Amino acid sequence: MLARIFPDRFVPVLFATILLASLLPVRGAAVPVAEAVSTAAIVLLFFLNGVRLPRDEVLHGIRNWKLQGAALLFCFGAMALLGLAAQAALARWLPATLAIGFLFLGILPSTVQSATAATSMAGGNVAASVVAAALLNLVGVALSPLLFALLAGSAAAIHGAAVLRIVSILLLPFLLGQLAQRWLRPRVLAHRGLATFMDRTAIAIAVYVAFSAAVVAGIWDQLAGREIAIVLGVTAFMLALAFGGAWTLGRLLQLARTDRITLLFAGAQKSIAVGAPLAATLFPPAIAGMVLVPILVYHMTQLVVSAWIAPELNRARSV
């Protein structure tokens, strides 16, 4: 039962992180220390991502241009526009920083591990899923903040200092990890458990620091029952459109069933592993916590939904 509700062990970790930040937020003199630890963890996270993502496989997999092109178009095109529409529709009903969180959700790349795992469970093209996830994340490190700045306009507030932080904290460690692949990738892959633990610890730290600042700034005073219900409802609606739209696009493109499954999970899922560090880089901590609310809800829900539908797709294939 618990495995069905929490198919990924990171879901309860995120719940616990939000609860801890709500009850024991970072305050006073501890804030600069916590922010420094969070920054260091983010740098390590993106360095490890750069080491792990298979550059050679990405270059090889680009040959399947129809699938990879569809994944890029859906992830950064259709989903970005869906997030922009949600932000515009909710502007009068939610605080501005919470509404813009839906646009932020839309411009993020796909997950890596969970999309590939769901594709495997569903009987999809696992090799293509690895390539799609890697390619989306390679592109997303640079494209996501640019796309957000383009669509958010003056609300994005991405100035020179933010650009420098993106380059130094996200992009540079990622590129260094790519350069170090030849020497470090075998060691990292040989210790997958430790690397995954470090990944998730870094994400949890970033979420905790950002949400702590939001709690101190009064996030729970701004989020009454009505606002929480709106966030849950709109997130569920976006998730349904994302999964339904990705599957329909694969059918319209006449992709093989295994490739449609790959597109489904690569296109519809969104990455908190990129979202939390990017929000911490783009926004002041108090704002970052509010912006992260939609992606936190979406990420946890997508893992549960994927765990439910993947076995059904596999069973349908064998019928």
Side-chain angles (χ1 to χ4, degrees):
M1 176 69 71
L2 288 176
R4 295 281 288 178
I5 298 173
F6 299 124
D8 190 305
R9 294 179 183 177
F10 193 46
V11 174
V13 171
L14 285 175
F15 275 121
T17 301
I18 294 170
L19 179 61
L20 180 63
S22 299
L23 297 176
L24 296 171
V26 179
R27 298 178 184 271
V31 172
V33 177
E35 291 179 355
V37 171
S38 177
T39 299
I42 290 168
V43 169
L44 178 61
L45 170 66
F46 274 78
F47 177 77
L48 288 176
N49 281 340
V51 171
R52 262 196 313 246
L53 287 177
R55 185 171 64 254
D56 293 339
E57 291 183 27
V58 170
L59 296 175
H60 178 73
I62 291 175
R63 295 175 184 175
N64 190 346
W65 62 268
K66 184 183 285 190
L67 171 59
Q68 304 304 338
L72 284 166
L73 180 64
F74 191 83
C75 184
F76 296 115
M79 288 299 294
L81 292 176
L82 180 60
L84 181 64
Q87 179 209 354
L90 297 172
R92 59 177 294 189
W93 303 103
L94 296 176
T97 50
L98 180 56
I100 206 170
F102 286 95
L103 171 58
F104 184 76
L105 185 165
I107 55 86
L108 292 174
S110 176
T111 58
V112 178
Q113 291 94 339
S114 60
T116 303
T119 298
S120 177
M121 266 198 306
N125 187 337
V126 177
S129 177
V130 172
V131 171
L135 183 61
L136 289 170
N137 277 266
L138 281 168
V139 172
V141 171
L143 182 60
S144 289
L146 296 176
L147 195 57
F148 181 72
L150 176 66
L151 296 178
S154 60
I158 300 180
H159 304 302
V163 173
L164 182 60
R165 280 178 59 81
I166 291 168
V167 172
S168 61
I169 297 175
L170 306 185
L171 189 56
L172 182 58
F174 184 85
L175 293 176
L176 290 175
Q178 288 277 290
L179 292 174
Q181 271 193 0
R182 179 179 177 182
W183 302 279
L184 296 181
R185 191 165 187 265
R187 296 185 181 182
V188 171
L189 294 181
H191 299 86
R192 290 179 184 271
L194 178 60
T196 299
F197 174 78
M198 293 171 70
D199 277 356
R200 296 186 169 188
T201 300
I203 297 165
I205 290 172
V207 171
Y208 174 70
V209 172
F211 212 80
S212 289
V215 169
V216 173
I219 186 173
W220 293 122
D221 295 328
Q222 300 177 55
L223 293 181
R226 182 179 73 99
E227 284 76 17
I228 294 173
I230 291 174
V231 170
L232 294 176
V234 174
T235 302
F237 183 64
M238 287 183 67
L239 193 69
L241 287 180
F243 275 83
W247 186 255
T248 301
L249 178 60
R251 188 183 297 275
L252 291 174
L253 293 175
Q254 298 182 337
L255 296 177
R257 180 179 176 83
T258 54
D259 285 350
R260 289 208 307 272
I261 291 172
T262 297
L263 177 61
L264 173 69
F265 295 110
Q269 291 197 3
K270 290 293 182 178
S271 174
I272 190 66
V274 175
L278 184 58
T281 305
L282 288 177
F283 305 102
I287 296 176
M290 186 74 85
V291 171
L292 279 173
V293 170
I295 179 58
L296 285 168
V297 175
Y298 189 98
H299 181 86
M300 291 185 283
T301 308
Q302 75 186 5
L303 295 178
V304 176
V305 171
S306 296
W308 287 342
I309 67 175
E312 296 300 325
L313 287 171
N314 203 352
R315 279 192 286 269
R317 183 189 63 162
S318 60
V319 171

